[in-house]
Amino acid sequence: MKRIIFIAVFAMAFLQGYAQHIDVDSLIGVLKSELKKESTYDLARLNRIGQLRSSLLRADNNSFDAQYDLTSKIYEEYSSFKFDSAYVYVKKMIDLAERYHKRDQLIESEIRLGYTLYFSGFYKEAFDVIGKIDTSGFTKNQWSDYLVMRARLNQSIADYDNDPFFSKGYYEQSDKDFKSAQVVSPYNEFEKKINLAFLPDSQRHTSLTPDYFFNLIIQQHLTPHGVAMVATHVSSAYKGRNRILFLTLAAIGDIRSSTKETLAIFLLAQELYHMNQTNDAYIFVQAAARNANFYGARNRAVQIESLLPLVAGKVIDEKQHQRDKLLIGFLIFFLVAVVLFFLLFIYRKQILQIKASEALIKEKNRQLENVNTQLLESAKIKEELIGLFFKTCSSYIETLEKIRQHTLHSIKLKKYNEVNDLMKDIQINEEKERLYNMLD
């Protein structure tokens, strides 16, 4: 129990953190967080009901006040939580009031029975109940409760009919009853401030912004259920994001008060759907459907059944669109991958060709280097041979010159035998052989 109180206090402190600036998306985030804790709030209510029922079993059977007070408290717990149980206990309240002849408590119980039937969509039965109530001698509070009950019932029937011809009379009667209730029980200061939200824009002061009314509701220290009721009422004065702001606040209050008979989260889903926030709308319309089924609200179930297929269809369409986008993206990626692979294949092939060409060029270069080396060696040899040839020729020239001079000298001296001997000493074949050996 302490943990639940801590969560509630922390969450209210979180909302009060919006005193200067209220971000709708952040508030929707709070609502989603609260939805996850819905079972915790429901368990707290069930624990309170269990304690009250135990106290009722122990109560004095001869004490009207004790029995009626506890039965009334159990009914209050069930009134916005579960229809069939609320119906059982409000009938017990009527039985007690009739048995002990308590007129005021009987009137109170019959009005509550009308509300119980109204909440669950039994409009005809609710009209039958309030039509049988003896209104003579009503106190101001009883008149006010009776008129508000009848006004809300007429308004709901008009909304349910949703027809310009048939709804008109119900709306007129509802408006008439609300005005009569205001005369009987005037608005308090807080209600007067809240009603300023419904002034036309031309008459509304510039300070009366949605933030102003949001903070006014939060700072009033209402119960979570009270916050939900006031915020739902104020939401009808706005459109778009401002309407979503108050409906979100109301839905949070309903969850924290474990209220299953709630219109706020359904209206929020409807508004989000119209603003194309389909995913959030689907989450909240499912929550509204769970609440309606749990409470037994036939009228809410009909409204939800008309919206849920639209939201679900849009969610499916969006998911299909996302899948199509993913598929298109995958196909584009696949095509790009194929192109890249093809380009990579061509690039690799060109790289291999380039490498093969480089290897061939290197081989040719190596061969050229070998040829160049051989040419250098050949040139060197030729240079040496040429040098040797010139040297040999020079040697032969010198030898011939010596032979010529010696021959001329011998001829002058008429030493012909010496010339003949000299000629015999010259071995041409040996000289050729020596020359060839030297060149090799």
Side-chain angles (χ1 to χ4, degrees), residues 14-32:
F14 179 85
L15 284 178
Q16 290 178 5
Y18 288 94
Q20 296 301 324
H21 176 70
I22 304 136
D23 181 65
V24 176
D25 294 330
S26 297
L27 200 61
I28 289 176
V30 175
L31 174 57
K32 291 178 182 177

Side-chain angles (χ1 to χ4, degrees), residues 220-262:
Q220 197 65 25
H221 303 296
L222 302 170
T223 63
H225 186 55
V227 169
M229 292 177 65
V230 176
T232 303
H233 176 61
V234 174
S235 71
S236 59
Y238 293 98
K239 295 180 181 179
R241 304 265 310 165
N242 291 330
R243 179 171 169 80
I244 289 174
L245 172 70
F246 288 103
L247 288 174
T248 305
L249 177 62
I252 291 171
D254 284 331
I255 292 171
R256 290 174 180 169
S257 60
S258 189
T259 299
K260 303 301 180 182
E261 195 294 308
T262 170

Side-chain angles (χ1 to χ4, degrees), residues 321-336:
H321 181 64
Q322 290 177 352
R323 283 195 292 267
D324 292 342
K325 287 173 66 177
L326 286 173
L327 179 60
I328 291 171
F330 174 76
L331 290 175
I332 292 172
F333 174 79
F334 178 75
L335 290 174
V336 171

Side-chain angles (χ1 to χ4, degrees), residues 50-65:
Q51 293 172 2
L52 289 170
R53 292 178 67 178
S54 297
S55 299
L56 180 60
L57 290 174
R58 296 193 300 268
D60 185 358
N61 291 332
N62 296 319
S63 173
F64 168 79
D65 291 338

